[in-house]
Amino acid sequence: MGLFGTDGVRGVAGRDLTADLALRLANAAANELAGSERPGGRALAVVGRDPRASGEFLEAAVTAGLSSAGVDVIRVGVLPTPAVAYLTGVLEADLGVMISASHNPAPDNGIKFFTAGGHKLPDAVEEAIEARMELPPDYVRGGHVGRVSDSGDGADKYVAHLLHAVQQPLAGLRVVIDCAHGAASDVAPRALRQAGADVVVIGGTPDGLNINEDCGSTHLGLLQAAVTREGADVGLAFDGDADRCLAVTADGSVVDGDQIMAVLAVEMQESGQLTQDTLVVTVMSNLGLRLAMREVGIRVVDTPVGDRYVLEAMRQDGYALGGEQSGHVVLLEHATTGDGILTGMRLLAAMSRRGIPLGDLTKVMTRLPQVLINVRGVDKSRVDTDPGVARAIAQAESELGQTGRVLLRSSGTEPLVRVMVEAAAHEHAQSVAERLATVVRTELALD
């Protein structure tokens, strides 16, 4: 069926993601994931959502699918994705469900699942759920149906968890936060203020339709303007479900996920918290991050693109820190998935502990110019085997030497090849990327 993408099942709510699909998907997931039994013979699920209007009917459908499979449901309401993952663990639920399309526009929505402990699903489990959806739903009857209840203290528990994870007082820091009119709108200001920060909130009035609308981590212009206008020390931007965080310095400069990871890695290395002095990133992270980490004795482990692959590598070898350039950062000691609010608070803690501005902290690394060209209408299956492409890559790598990098990869969802080149100068990166794109277009042309 190919329902699951890189992060759950997504689509336009009411068209691709219907109430019927949500019900059947939840029923199938319940039968795959609800393995343990509790008093009364029923398993337990935690269900949360972001503020999208469509989340209301999808929450009802997901709850119906779970309870009709004999699973008790605790609805925790509007909370960030990492909060739902955390509550799935602390409430010892058999599974968790988050209804969100993250940074996508309001008409979209999505459903993502967590296993017991709050972990994302392995590929094999997603495949098993898809296979089960080919069968008729498995409904229970009578006293075996699941019961549904609402939890009013989920936000309080999550805020307490954040404060425990970031014990450095943030007093003296003036912070503007852009909550993207999303799931962070309530808990992010609460957590930061309780930690002592002086907080100005923008993008914090969700109405169900304005999530991510020209705001949040994908539209930083409003935050940059607000930081300079308010005379703030720093700005933090979250996406709709608050599993990402990007930052803005006092002068309005953007700080991406690579720079945030560089700052946190050095902090954690100095405090002995960076397991095996290792940082886990995807292949798309900037070469400047790799060079900076080498300078301070931190090893960098690469994974394919996608936070799930970062998490797999971290869990497999017990690494403490990893993430993506997009600002999806995982601090494994305190979270089982990316947590934008936690990331932002840890960044502020580094500023507070050292007593220096974020702009100075980020000087630990220098971002190299990065050019990305999408080459469409080609046979992406041959990108790793074509001799002409291989020769062109080898020539480019020789030309760039140690201060540049080439990466060609096929898209997982579209018929295209992504050509990425980094170099010391933008013009050089652009020139090499265009040359490689021409080779790919010629060598891999569809018949």
Side-chain angles (χ1 to χ4, degrees):
M1 295 175 64
L3 271 178
F4 285 89
T6 55
D7 197 16
V9 177
R10 288 191 192 178
V12 176
R15 185 190 73 188
D16 310 311
L17 192 56
T18 62
D20 176 66
L21 176 61
L23 189 153
R24 292 188 297 110
L25 179 63
N27 184 276
N31 281 286
E32 284 297 323
L33 297 173
S36 63
E37 291 194 349
R38 300 166 181 275
R42 290 188 296 267
L44 178 66
V46 172
V47 176
R49 62 182 179 90
D50 72 21
R52 291 166 212 265
S54 61
E56 296 168 4
F57 83 76
L58 289 171
E59 178 190 57
V62 165
T63 299
L66 294 169
S67 57
S68 68
V71 175
D72 287 341
V73 178
I74 297 178
R75 295 183 299 201
V76 295
V78 174
L79 282 176
T81 289
V84 174
Y86 169 72
L87 292 170
T88 299
V90 298
L91 295 176
E92 299 183 348
D94 298 272
L95 70 153
V97 187
M98 179 64 186
I99 302 166
S100 173
S102 190
H103 58 281
N104 286 22
D108 292 352
N109 217 322
I111 300 172
K112 61 182 97 176
F113 295 95
F114 299 103
T115 62
H119 300 285
K120 291 192 174 183
L121 305 188
D123 290 344
V125 176
E126 290 184 347
E127 291 167 4
I129 292 173
E130 289 193 10
R132 188 176 282 272
M133 286 189 68
E134 300 288 348
L135 305 173
D138 188 2
Y139 297 130
V140 299
R141 297 173 180 81
H144 296 292
V145 299
R147 305 301 299 271
V148 180
S149 60
D150 294 303
S151 171
D153 63 354
D156 295 336
K157 289 178 178 177
Y158 176 58
V159 169
H161 160 69
L162 292 171
L163 295 172
H164 177 74
V166 185
Q167 298 184 355
Q168 172 73 32
L170 305 182
L173 289 177
R174 183 168 173 80
V175 186
V176 179
I177 59 172
D178 185 345
C179 297
H181 297 303
S185 298
D186 172 48
V187 291
R190 285 173 55 186
L192 286 163
R193 286 173 178 145
Q194 288 184 39
D198 177 13
V199 181
V200 177
V201 181
I202 64 173
T205 54
D207 62 9
L209 302 175
N210 59 359
I211 189 169
N212 298 317
E213 186 176 5
D214 297 324
C215 59
S217 62
T218 53
H219 300 87
L220 294 172
L222 288 177
L223 179 62
Q224 290 172 294
V227 167
T228 55
R229 181 180 67 247
E230 297 288 341
D233 299 295
V234 61
L236 300 175
F238 310 114
D239 62 341
D241 69 336
D243 63 356
R244 299 185 187 189
C245 174
L246 295 180
V248 170
T249 63
D251 67 0
S253 299
V254 173
V255 177
D256 69 12
D258 285 343
Q259 294 170 293
I260 291 172
M261 287 190 289
V263 172
L264 297 184
V266 171
E267 281 289 298
M268 293 172 68
Q269 182 192 43
E270 291 184 1
S271 62
Q273 297 175 309
L274 191 66
T275 309
Q276 301 177 52
D277 285 339
T278 298
L279 170 66
V280 182
V281 301
T282 76
V283 292
M284 293 302 291
S285 274
N286 195 274
L287 177 60
L289 173 61
R290 293 167 168 80
L291 296 176
M293 295 299 93
R294 185 186 305 165
E295 282 290 314
V296 296
I298 293 175
R299 185 170 71 104
V300 174
V301 171
D302 280 328
T303 75
V305 173
D307 66 283
R308 61 189 301 174
Y309 300 112
V310 172
L311 272 162
E312 284 175 11
M314 293 178 69
R315 291 181 64 192
Q316 179 177 318
D317 294 304
Y319 300 131
L321 178 65
E324 299 182 283
Q325 194 178 66
S326 63
H328 197 125
V329 177
V330 182
L331 291 143
L332 199 57
E333 181 183 355
H334 303 290
T336 58
T337 186
D339 189 328
I341 303 174
L342 174 60
T343 298
M345 291 179 71
R346 289 289 288 262
L347 190 64
L348 297 179
M351 293 174 59
S352 178
R353 188 180 75 82
R354 292 179 180 267
I356 59 176
L358 179 59
D360 290 341
L361 278 181
T362 59
K363 290 178 181 177
V364 67
M365 73 164 278
T366 301
R367 279 187 296 188
L368 294 183
Q370 190 178 72
V371 173
L372 178 66
I373 299 176
N374 291 329
V375 185
R376 300 179 181 275
V378 295
D379 182 359
K380 65 181 183 179
S381 67
R382 294 193 288 119
V383 67
D384 295 324
T385 58
D386 183 85
V389 172
R391 283 193 299 270
I393 292 173
Q395 180 181 348
E397 290 176 337
S398 175
E399 178 182 333
L400 293 168
Q402 295 298 308
T403 59
R405 187 167 69 106
V406 172
L407 177 67
L408 270 67
R409 67 183 188 92
S410 58
S411 168
T413 57
E414 300 177 83
L416 60 84
V417 171
R418 304 191 195 281
V419 177
M420 190 274 285
V421 175
E422 293 168 330
H426 183 272
E427 295 78 9
H428 194 190
Q430 186 74 40
S431 173
V432 173
E434 289 176 355
R435 193 164 69 237
L436 282 171
T438 298
V439 172
V440 169
R441 207 172 282 118
T442 302
E443 293 286 328
L444 305 184
L446 291 170
D447 296 330

